[in-house]
Amino acid sequence: MKPRFITFEGSEGCGKTTQISLLADWFKQRGQTVTCLREPGATPLGEAVRHLLKHDPAGHGMAAESELLLFTASRAELVRKVIQPALTAGRWIICDRFHDSTTVYQSIARGLDRLTVSVINDFALGGTVPTLTLFLDLPAAESRARMLRRPRPVGQTDRMENEPPEFYEKVTNGYRQLADSEPSRIKRIDADGDKRTVFEKILSEVKNAFHGQLD
Ligand SMILES: Nc1ncnc2c1ncn2[C@@H]1O[C@H](COP(=O)(O)OP(=O)(O)OP(=O)(O)O)[C@@H](O)[C@H]1O
Ligand SMILES: [Mg+2]
């Protein structure tokens, strides 16, 4: 049996959280147990790291190397405390961002050495790799427009959302490159449609990847 482990990837605002919620409901309607996780976070250590990375003034201007190690520290904890035990118990795991985000943001977009990032990523994962990764591909400008329309707590800024437009172009192109390099795991989904249309494409990939494991 393939590990029941699905990750969602793509730029800010491309619809990951929206689609994860639809997919989780779909699994639950079929009587399946599903755990949805977000990266970084989902463990006490991970949530503290998330705050540092996204909102805490202590994180402002951090070095790209520190950012890489904080993301992967959160992931190492998540894999060992939550993901591995759940997969062993036969549960479905859906994760909002995972190791591909590190490859794309820290290596392709921020320019850290690709091989070093890959070694650190692998160390954090300890062999726990998703069976299916859904990359929601949306033009960077549309992603940004959706992101800015999204409701958010008053006065809260997010360090990762304040990058110049070129950064988001690099992210989108980075995901496309990565998807081309691992076509059997990473499925590129055209996310430029209404929520239901995008969801139908996702469902078709889930059914393909887990054929025979959905009942
Ligand atoms: N297919 C769609 N068409 C139009 N708007 C959408 C679509 N999917 C999601 N949205 C809206 O776009 C905004 C961003 O969606 P969502 O929060 O799901 O993206 P995300 O990928 O999780 O973003 P982030 O990486 O920042 O968490 C939300 O306001 C959501 O309601
Ligand atoms: Mg989200």
Side-chain angles (χ1 to χ4, degrees):
M1 199 170 83
K2 296 178 197 163
R4 296 174 152 176
F5 184 17
I6 301 170
T7 58
F8 277 73
E9 295 281 354
S11 185
E12 281 76 7
C14 67
K16 298 179 294 299
T17 303
T18 304
Q19 294 297 328
I20 285 172
S21 152
L22 293 172
L23 184 60
D25 287 347
W26 183 83
F27 275 120
K28 286 175 197 160
Q29 278 157 17
R30 299 173 72 94
Q32 305 273 342
T33 313
V34 56
T35 303
C36 296
L37 302 169
R38 66 173 185 177
E39 269 242 313
T43 64
L45 179 78
E47 288 298 332
V49 170
R50 182 183 185 90
H51 182 67
L52 262 177
L53 282 164
K54 289 175 85 75
H55 306 297
D56 194 322
H60 291 170
M62 76 172 71
E65 290 81 355
S66 316
E67 186 184 60
L68 165 70
L69 293 167
L70 284 170
F71 272 113
T72 47
S74 165
R75 186 168 311 123
E77 188 76 2
L78 182 65
V79 162
R80 286 155 188 84
K81 300 283 172 64
V82 180
I83 297 178
Q84 282 174 350
L87 294 175
T88 303
R91 296 195 199 107
W92 292 91
I93 292 278
I94 306 177
C95 198
D96 195 336
R97 297 192 176 282
F98 200 60
H99 68 311
D100 296 319
S101 285
T102 301
T103 305
V104 168
Y105 285 77
Q106 273 63 57
S107 172
I108 301 175
R110 295 235 196 270
L112 292 180
D113 177 65
R114 182 78 176 252
L115 184 61
T116 306
V117 170
S118 159
V119 168
I120 292 172
N121 236 348
D122 288 349
F123 179 66
L125 292 188
T128 303
V129 176
T131 299
L132 173 66
T133 297
L134 297 153
F135 157 42
L136 305 189
D137 190 359
L138 192 65
E142 173 61 21
S143 240
R144 182 141 191 95
R146 282 190 195 175
M147 188 173 96
L148 295 174
R149 281 201 300 269
R150 187 178 45 190
R152 60 174 58 248
V154 176
Q156 193 170 67
T157 60
D158 183 326
R159 197 176 57 89
M160 300 299 285
E161 291 176 359
N162 291 325
E163 297 288 345
E166 307 83 77
F167 181 82
Y168 297 102
E169 291 289 345
K170 279 191 199 165
V171 166
T172 301
N173 291 332
Y175 272 121
R176 289 176 182 159
Q177 257 179 50
L178 195 61
D180 287 345
S181 72
E182 277 193 74
S184 61
R185 174 176 65 85
I186 308 178
K187 302 300 175 188
R188 179 168 157 171
I189 304 285
D190 177 4
D192 200 3
D194 64 68
K195 293 173 194 182
R196 280 282 148 194
T197 308
V198 176
F199 183 61
E200 288 307 319
K201 293 177 192 162
I202 287 174
L203 210 45
S204 142
E205 295 296 350
V206 169
K207 288 175 180 169
N208 272 338
F210 295 99
H211 186 70
Q213 267 180 250
L214 288 165
D215 300 312

